[in-house]
Amino acid sequence: MTNTPTNAPRTRQPQDNDEIDIGFLLGSLWDHKIFIVVLAAIFAAVGLIYAMLTTPIYKADALVQVEKKSGTIPGADMAKVLGNGEPSTSTEVEILRSRMILGQVVDQTDLDVQIIPHTWPVVGDWLRRRGIERPGFMAGDDSVWAGETLRISELVTSHDSQTLQLILRSEGRGRYSLLDTDGNPLAPGIVGQKLTVDEPWVELIVSDLTAPAGATFSIIKKSQLAAINGLQSRLEIQSRGQDTGILQLNLTGPDQQEIVESLNATTDVFLTQNIARQAAEADKSLEFLEEQAPKVREQLNDAENRLNEYRLKSDSIDLSFETRNALNSLVSIEASLNELELQESELARRFTPNHPVYRSLLEKKEQLLREKARLEERTENLPETQQQILRLSRDVKVTQQIYVQLLNRMQELRLARAGTVGNVRILDKAVVQGQVAPRRDLIVAAAGIGGLFLAMIIVLLRAAFSRGIVSPEQLEELDLPVYATVPLSEEEKRRSDKRRQIKQDRRRKDGSIKGLLAVRNPADLSVEAIRGLRTSLHFAMMEGSDNRLVITGPSPSIGKSFMATNLAAVCAQAGQKVVVVDGDMRKGHVHEAFKEGSHDGLSEVLSGKLEFEKAIRTSELEGLSWVSRGSAPPNPSELLMQPRFTEFLDYLSNTFDLVIIDTPPILAVTDAAIIGKLCGTSLMVVRFGVNTPKEIQIAENRLATGGVTLKGTILNAMEKKAATSYGYYGYYNYAYKSD
């Protein structure tokens, strides 16, 4: 009996829902919690390994005090009060970071020479830090192990701004070979002796080499600028408090000894430079005074000679009381004016004439000049002889005072230069405070959190782009009735996984992966759901034109054969006479459920090699028979379209109460449409979370194009998931089992 509907393909579209379901996303995270935790643990372990293998960075610090200078001339203290006195500590910070200071540090500590031992990749440095010495089987290897060192006391090259790299290989017994970066030998050398190479020009003295033959080191000679820039990048200077003048110097690096030596050299060079800078001021002033002293002495001699000559000429020896008073006053004013001129010369280098301190000095100078002019006016009434003696005596006394002041000032400057200590004091020498990088706890935490977020992103993206059917309501939105929702059987899942593994390994199948679940475990939740399908199917087939049921699906591996064989089993257990036909002559595996081979089946029947009754096999379950797929033919679709297939179906319909046909996926081949056209009822198996609404729509349209009306669907392999409230649907809520 055949069924030839004329329905046109359906063109309805599935409903799209672009809203974000927060509960679904959170549930997806919970469903994949093991994956998330494992990935986070893997990332944390990788972070821990990285933190252990990374070269540690240490920090050393030192403390320096910059004191304020005391004023050297009157008025200087007032200048500081007015805000133009001592420079701030920021000036000293910039001096500390200057190439003038750091360049001397580089020269003193040989920071322009870097020695890099060759070690094993990744773990070599860690082994050296752990103190692992060279094992016996590594004799002659070029790697460097703990206790093997190289020290260079002198390395001079001809380069100015470029970095030169060389390779030094130990030859044992205090000898070594110098190579270029390509491994070409340049010259042999002996520890403690100078080695000279012409091209490239190099002078090298190795002071110590404790490494066996074969151990190799890379030697990098940096330019001074590159070494200074490297030191600047590692040096940090901080001011402690406001206006305290205390600076903290921090230096980081992988070598504890190097950072201590470099930081101590920095503070020492800074202190020496500061003392030299303070002494330079005294040297400059002393140099000027030493130039002026002979000139003033010569002026004093000339003044004394003129006075003596005039006295001899005029026979005037003594001065009157009034003349002596005027002379003393004029000399005092002249001395004050000379002192003001010295002050003015120093202030002129620091301030403009409009500065209050400078203006005060000029006003005092003008007052003295007026007083001098008044005294000179008084002396004009004296006799000519007394006036001349007065002028000459004044010149002598003033020049004499100036000369004495110069001598005193020179002596003060000599004492100041000898006792110059500068205004910088080193409070704390450099000391290593500990390891600052890598921060193991932080790296492990960051890696673990990164792995956690990455796993969550993967799960959320997968959930966001997953379009698989997860509820019966989604099928009903496509106007497809749902006859049953069958939960996933963990036992069958394990057996299916084992079956796939055996197929992949191309090993022989045995009975351990075969058998019907309905016979093996009748109380399984999946079997209970199939019993419900049996009841629904009884009423559905009452509307059909025959007793034939087609089980198909949109794609492979969704449980069609499982559904067909176990549905047949539960129907046979209910007293019906049932036959299962494997309609997939390409890759059908119904025979595995009955623990037999696939030979002598449907393909042999359709090709006329086997009679109808001989193709039907009985099973261990009473009332259940089956037909295998037979040998794989080259043209399955053509065989199904022959009249012999229709005759075979009629024979089965007349012989059995129910004929169940397992067909190939409709989206892969057209066999399901050919078979479905000859049967009265067709059901489509949909895999939970695998088949998308679009696939189901296309599969339904393809069946309709072939003249097959789809009766409904079976939602198979339902899983208990937090991502969807449908996870607790149906038989997950209730299970009734016998003792």
Side-chain angles (χ1 to χ4, degrees):
M1 187 178 297
T2 59
N3 180 24
T4 57
T6 58
N7 294 358
R10 303 185 184 183
T11 58
R12 64 179 178 274
Q13 299 291 334
Q15 298 179 4
D16 294 330
N17 186 4
D18 294 333
E19 296 181 1
I20 298 177
D21 190 344
I22 301 299
F24 174 77
L25 297 179
L26 293 177
S28 298
L29 294 177
W30 179 254
D31 292 333
H32 297 83
K33 56 184 177 294
I34 296 179
F35 167 74
I36 295 174
V37 171
V38 169
L39 190 60
I42 291 175
F43 271 63
V46 172
L48 177 60
I49 295 173
Y50 170 79
M52 292 177 62
L53 296 180
T54 301
T55 302
I57 302 299
Y58 302 94
K59 182 179 77 170
D61 63 6
L63 212 58
V64 173
Q65 181 185 12
V66 181
E67 299 173 335
K68 294 183 178 181
K69 302 177 187 177
S70 59
T72 58
I73 59 172
D77 293 335
M78 180 61 68
K80 286 186 287 185
V81 172
L82 294 175
N84 293 307
E86 295 299 320
S88 63
T89 54
S90 59
T91 303
E92 305 298 333
V93 170
E94 295 304 319
I95 293 176
L96 271 167
R97 295 182 60 85
S98 66
R99 290 192 293 269
M100 176 185 67
I101 300 295
L102 299 185
Q104 298 181 47
V105 175
V106 168
D107 294 337
Q108 291 182 12
T109 57
D110 294 330
L111 289 179
D112 55 344
V113 178
Q114 183 179 6
I115 301 174
I116 303 176
H118 289 193
T119 59
W120 275 15
V122 182
V123 298
D125 289 334
W126 180 78
L127 293 175
R128 293 185 69 243
R129 292 195 301 271
R130 299 286 295 180
I132 306 299
E133 297 183 354
R134 180 186 296 269
F137 66 90
M138 293 299 296
D141 188 72
D142 65 346
S143 58
V144 178
W145 295 75
E148 301 174 3
T149 58
L150 168 66
R151 291 184 176 86
I152 296 176
S153 59
E154 180 181 341
L155 177 58
V156 182
T157 63
S158 59
H159 77 289
D160 295 326
S161 60
Q162 301 298 323
T163 298
L164 178 65
Q165 183 171 353
L166 301 170
I167 297 176
L168 188 145
R169 183 179 63 209
S170 174
E171 302 296 345
R173 298 182 180 181
R175 296 180 177 273
Y176 62 89
S177 295
L178 194 64
L179 316 172
D180 60 17
T181 54
D182 296 329
N184 301 318
L186 297 178
I190 301 176
V191 175
Q193 297 182 11
K194 178 181 288 188
L195 172 64
T196 303
V197 180
D198 295 332
E199 184 60 36
W201 185 78
V202 173
E203 288 186 354
L204 173 66
I205 298 179
V206 176
S207 59
D208 184 28
L209 178 58
T210 57
T216 305
F217 301 82
S218 290
I219 303 174
I220 299 177
K221 174 65 173 179
K222 301 178 182 178
S223 65
Q224 187 182 49
L225 181 60
I228 291 173
N229 291 337
L231 181 59
Q232 283 180 335
S233 63
R234 297 187 291 127
L235 180 63
E236 180 184 8
I237 304 173
Q238 299 174 342
S239 178
R240 281 195 174 182
Q242 187 176 5
D243 297 332
T244 60
I246 297 179
L247 302 177
Q248 178 176 329
L249 283 69
N250 300 322
L251 186 63
T252 57
D255 189 341
Q256 300 185 51
Q257 181 179 356
E258 180 269 324
I259 60 177
V260 170
E261 292 178 354
S262 298
L263 197 54
N264 282 331
T266 303
T267 55
D268 291 340
V269 169
F270 180 58
L271 176 61
T272 303
Q273 178 271 340
N274 180 265
I275 294 175
R277 184 175 57 178
Q278 302 295 333
E281 297 181 2
D283 288 338
K284 191 173 182 180
S285 300
L286 183 60
E287 181 181 357
F288 173 76
L289 295 179
E290 287 176 345
E291 292 178 357
Q292 299 297 321
K295 299 177 182 179
V296 175
R297 176 61 184 172
E298 185 177 352
Q299 294 175 3
L300 177 60
N301 292 334
D302 292 342
E304 289 177 345
N305 292 332
R306 287 195 302 271
L307 177 60
N308 293 331
E309 290 176 359
Y310 186 78
R311 282 183 172 180
L312 293 174
K313 180 179 178 180
S314 58
D315 294 330
S316 177
I317 300 175
D318 296 326
L319 295 174
S320 64
F321 177 77
E322 182 180 0
T323 303
R324 282 197 299 268
N325 287 338
L327 175 61
N328 293 333
S329 298
L330 285 172
V331 170
S332 176
I333 292 174
E334 288 286 352
S336 298
L337 286 173
N338 289 331
E339 183 67 26
L340 289 179
E341 287 180 358
L342 289 175
Q343 295 181 17
E344 182 181 1
S345 63
E346 294 190 19
L347 288 178
R349 293 182 298 175
R350 305 177 62 181
F351 308 111
T352 63
N354 294 325
H355 195 278
V357 176
Y358 204 136
R359 291 175 58 185
S360 175
L361 184 143
L362 293 177
E363 291 175 357
K364 187 175 182 181
K365 182 178 179 181
E366 292 177 357
Q367 182 180 359
L368 291 174
L369 290 174
R370 288 195 297 269
E371 182 67 18
K372 177 182 175 182
R374 188 181 62 81
L375 288 174
E376 289 179 345
E377 184 179 354
R378 287 176 53 190
T379 59
E380 291 179 356
N381 298 325
L382 295 174
E384 179 65 25
T385 303
Q386 294 292 321
Q387 290 184 21
Q388 187 64 22
I389 292 176
L390 177 62
R391 285 193 292 270
L392 294 175
S393 299
R394 180 191 64 186
D395 293 340
V396 170
K397 289 185 175 292
V398 169
T399 306
Q400 188 177 19
Q401 284 191 358
I402 293 174
Y403 183 68
V404 171
Q405 288 178 354
L406 285 177
L407 294 179
N408 292 337
R409 183 61 176 166
M410 289 169 60
Q411 187 64 25
E412 291 174 0
L413 290 175
R414 290 190 182 97
L415 293 175
R417 183 180 60 180
T420 299
V421 294
N423 63 326
V424 171
R425 183 170 53 155
I426 300 176
L427 301 180
D428 293 333
K429 284 286 187 180
V431 63
V432 176
Q433 292 294 346
Q435 181 178 331
V436 294
R439 299 180 58 181
R440 183 174 301 176
D441 297 340
L442 181 61
I443 290 177
V444 172
I449 294 174
L452 182 68
F453 277 105
L454 178 61
M456 293 173 63
I457 290 173
I458 293 174
V459 170
L460 293 177
L461 288 177
R462 185 176 179 182
F465 288 100
S466 175
R467 301 294 182 180
I469 296 293
V470 294
S471 69
E473 284 79 1
Q474 291 178 276
L475 292 172
E476 292 171 357
E477 290 178 358
L478 299 174
D479 294 336
L480 291 175
V482 180
Y483 278 80
T485 55
V486 180
L488 176 66
S489 173
E490 294 297 330
E491 179 183 351
E492 191 67 18
K493 182 176 182 296
R494 289 192 298 269
R495 294 164 70 88
S496 298
D497 293 340
K498 187 175 181 180
R499 182 188 299 113
R500 284 193 295 269
Q501 180 180 357
I502 291 177
K503 285 183 177 181
Q504 292 173 359
D505 295 341
R506 297 181 178 179
R507 294 180 296 186
R508 184 178 178 181
K509 306 178 181 66
D510 54 28
S512 63
I513 61 170
K514 302 175 182 178
L516 293 169
L517 180 63
V519 177
R520 191 173 60 252
N521 187 7
D524 191 271
L525 292 180
S526 299
V527 179
E528 293 291 343
I530 294 175
R531 290 193 179 98
L533 172 61
R534 178 187 63 188
T535 303
S536 302
L537 189 62
H538 173 73
F539 297 99
M541 294 191 67
M542 293 177 62
E543 302 175 358
S545 56
D546 52 35
N547 60 347
R548 304 169 193 170
L549 172 63
V550 172
I551 303 294
T552 187
S555 60
S557 303
I558 60 174
K560 300 185 305 298
S561 300
F562 168 80
M563 196 63 58
T565 54
N566 284 278
L567 176 60
V570 298
C571 290
Q573 290 172 345
Q576 290 182 289
K577 190 177 180 181
V578 185
V579 63
V580 179
V581 180
D582 193 346
D584 187 355
M585 290 182 284
R586 294 175 175 85
K587 297 182 178 181
H589 52 267
V590 169
H591 57 279
E592 295 179 4
F594 295 96
K595 305 179 183 180
E596 293 189 22
S598 62
H599 56 85
D600 296 335
L602 181 60
S603 62
E604 283 80 8
V605 170
L606 298 183
S607 60
K609 298 179 181 179
L610 189 67
E611 298 297 330
F612 292 165
E613 61 275 6
K614 293 183 179 180
I616 301 172
R617 309 185 197 183
T618 59
S619 68
E620 60 182 349
L621 183 63
E622 184 179 357
L624 177 60
S625 301
W626 61 285
V627 177
S628 68
R629 61 179 173 85
S631 301
N635 53 347
S637 299
E638 287 75 6
L639 291 177
L640 293 174
M641 296 176 67
Q642 294 181 3
R644 188 169 176 80
F645 181 56
T646 304
E647 295 172 1
F648 183 57
L649 290 180
D650 292 340
Y651 173 78
L652 295 176
S653 296
N654 295 328
T655 307
F656 296 93
D657 299 329
L658 178 62
V659 179
I660 300 176
I661 306 173
D662 179 24
T663 65
I666 184 60
L667 295 182
V669 292
T670 60
D671 296 6
I674 298 173
I675 298 174
K677 191 174 182 179
L678 302 176
C679 302
T681 306
S682 298
L683 294 179
M684 181 185 294
V685 177
V686 177
R687 183 85 178 192
F688 174 87
V690 174
N691 297 122
T692 64
K694 188 66 176 177
E695 286 181 336
I696 298 170
Q697 176 194 354
I698 296 174
E700 182 188 5
N701 291 341
R702 186 165 296 182
L703 288 171
T705 302
V708 180
T709 302
L710 192 61
K711 196 71 175 181
T713 59
I714 302 171
L715 186 55
N716 186 31
M718 288 280 293
E719 297 184 46
K720 183 183 292 186
K721 288 182 177 291
T724 171
S725 59
Y726 310 112
Y728 299 93
Y729 185 86
Y731 291 95
Y732 279 121
N733 285 344
Y734 304 101
Y736 186 76
K737 301 180 180 179
S738 62
D739 294 335

